[in-house]
Structure formats: structure tokens, C-alpha cells
Amino acid sequence: MKTVKEVSNITGVSVRTLHHYDAIGLLKPAKVTEAGYRMYDDTALSRLQTILLFRELQFPLKEIKVILDSPDFDLSEAVAQQIALLELQYKHIGELIAFAREMQRKGVAAMNFDVFDKEEIEKYKAEVKAKWGSTKAYQEYEQKDIAQNEGSYQRIADEMMAIFSELGGLKHLTPESEEVQRKISALQKFITDHYYVCTNEILSGLGEMYLCDERFQKNIDRAGGDGTAAFVSRAVSVYCSK
């Protein structure tokens, strides 16, 4: 058995990320001690290795969870699919390198936009998702994703940023205040309505990501002002601990 810190040292995955994976049910520890320490066995480490491979292939965490939790999931077949995808990416990167060298040799006037085409990679990724993503939860996510792609994606993203903007306007209050907590509840409902069922466990993990993921932090602070991401993270922690 290894502690979360030991797993972090071995894999290079941050402790915060491992906590987030636990919160969203992607990677549960083998056990939690009476003192609250997460402990990971070889089975958990094997699952983490598969997760990291899918992350290298740029699969979202939600899709990785669905794939790994599929009752039909077969690790050996999934590894074969991962190898095929990695080979496609290797080929794509090789073509980009060759194109860049041609630009270097002939000058930036060299025109060839075909080299940026990733259709073959995306098509294969879609086949992988179709293979393992036949669960009800995945279908629910896909339906919402389709709806977003039909002209409403940007509107939904803007509405979510508006919630963070409103939370930024409440930074003069404490994270525990009733008004702030109502807004966190509204954020949870918004995520559930537009993305996926956002349980307190998932929201808690998101709260950590808002603070530790640089992309989240920058976008949230841009919407609500400096310090908003940290403020929202604390407010989420309070909300989920009730």
C-alpha cells in the first residue's frame, strides 16, 4: 500500500489531482485509514496508469471514467486502442516536424494546411468512445454535449462565467455567508442542468480544481476579479462540508 504522497512522488501526479480523481470517482483509494489517509494498492496504481495514458490522448476525465467503469471494459483491448491512437499521433507529429523543417528551408511562404488535419485521430477517438461509452451516464452527457454544439455552447459558457462574476462581487463577504452559499448552490445546479449531475463530491473536486488548475484560475479571476477562484474554492469547500 502507498500513501497519496508516495503515489504522487512515483507518478508525478499532484496530490491535489489525486484528491480530485477520488472526489469524482475516477480513482478511489484501496482504503482510507481511520486518520483519513488515502492508501493505494497495485490495482489502483494500474488504473491510474491507464488514466494517464488516456489523458495523454487528451480524453476528458468524464469520458475516461465512463470507459473504465464500463462493464464491458477490457484492459488489453483498451491498451491496443491506446497504442493505435499514439501511433496516429506519432505520425501526425512527424508530419508537423517535416512541415516545419520545410518552412525553415523554404521560408514561411510555404503553404500546406493539410498537415494540421487531425480528422483521422478524432475519428478513431470517436470509435473508442462508442466502444466503451454505451452507459446511461455517458449517453446523458453526450445528449447535453450535442445540445451545446447546436449553437448554445458559447451561451452556456458565458452564463457560467456570469455566475463566477457574481461570486467575485461577493468577495467582501465571508465564504460561509448565506448569500455566497446560495450562489454556490446555483453554480451546482447550473453544472447539473448543462453538463452532468454535479454531486457534492464532484463539486468539492471542482472547487479544488478552480484553485490548483491554472486555466480554471485565470478564467475565473478574469470573470470575477483577482482572487475570485480562491474565494469560490473556499466557498465550495464550506458548502460541501455541510
Side-chain angles (χ1 to χ4, degrees):
M1 289 281 192
K2 291 179 171 57
T3 65
V4 67
K5 185 170 180 55
E6 288 173 333
V7 172
S8 177
N9 290 338
I10 292 170
T11 64
V13 179
S14 72
V15 171
R16 281 184 178 273
T17 298
L18 290 169
H19 286 176
H20 177 60
Y21 286 178
D22 182 10
I24 64 174
L26 178 60
L27 180 69
K28 289 290 186 183
K31 73 173 185 177
V32 179
T33 67
E34 291 183 3
Y37 294 108
R38 296 170 171 86
M39 303 297 295
Y40 296 82
D41 60 8
D42 288 344
T43 300
L45 289 175
S46 176
R47 182 176 172 101
L48 176 58
Q49 187 170 259
T50 304
I51 291 168
L52 294 179
L53 263 175
F54 276 116
R55 288 298 284 159
E56 285 294 323
L57 295 167
Q58 300 181 342
F59 278 71
L61 294 179
K62 295 184 293 293
E63 294 178 3
I64 297 173
K65 184 178 186 303
V66 169
I67 290 170
L68 298 186
D69 291 345
S70 169
D72 300 322
F73 179 71
D74 182 278
L75 179 59
S76 61
E77 186 174 354
V79 170
Q81 291 171 331
Q82 289 171 332
I83 291 171
L85 269 169
L86 288 168
E87 287 175 340
L88 286 173
Q89 290 192 345
Y90 178 76
K91 175 187 173 186
H92 178 67
I93 291 171
E95 290 170 347
L96 286 173
I97 292 172
F99 176 65
R101 284 175 175 162
E102 184 181 0
M103 286 181 62
Q104 186 180 49
R105 189 168 58 252
K106 296 183 177 179
V108 294
M111 295 285 183
N112 178 14
F113 292 98
D114 292 340
V115 73
F116 300 106
D117 186 4
K118 298 177 70 174
E119 182 179 355
E120 188 177 7
I121 295 174
E122 294 305 319
K123 180 180 178 182
Y124 194 85
K125 285 174 70 174
E127 290 176 4
V128 173
K129 288 187 282 185
K131 167 70 178 176
W132 306 114
S134 59
T135 66
K136 182 179 179 182
Y138 184 81
Q139 290 169 357
E140 177 187 2
Y141 166 75
E142 287 286 274
Q143 287 302 313
K144 289 182 178 180
D145 192 50
I146 289 169
Q148 290 175 24
N149 288 333
E150 290 176 353
S152 60
Y153 182 87
Q154 189 59 50
R155 175 182 58 79
I156 292 170
D158 290 344
E159 288 176 4
M160 188 163 180
M161 285 300 107
I163 294 175
F164 287 123
S165 177
E166 292 167 3
L167 279 162
L170 300 176
K171 290 199 298 289
H172 61 286
L173 302 174
T174 65
E176 298 84 1
S177 68
E178 186 177 345
E179 189 173 355
V180 172
Q181 289 298 297
R182 279 201 304 269
K183 189 59 66 176
I184 296 298
S185 179
L187 173 64
Q188 183 181 39
K189 184 177 185 303
F190 185 88
I191 294 171
T192 294
D193 289 345
H194 296 90
Y195 295 98
Y196 44 82
V197 176
C198 185
T199 63
N200 279 12
E201 192 175 32
I202 290 176
L203 183 63
S204 176
L206 288 173
E208 291 183 10
M209 292 294 286
Y210 293 157
L211 186 59
C212 70
D213 189 299
E214 187 177 351
R215 293 166 301 175
F216 276 117
Q217 185 177 351
K218 282 185 177 179
N219 287 333
I220 293 171
D221 282 355
R222 187 181 298 117
D226 290 345
T228 299
F231 178 74
V232 172
S233 182
R234 291 196 301 272
V236 166
S237 179
V238 171
Y239 179 88
C240 294
S241 66
K242 293 180 181 177

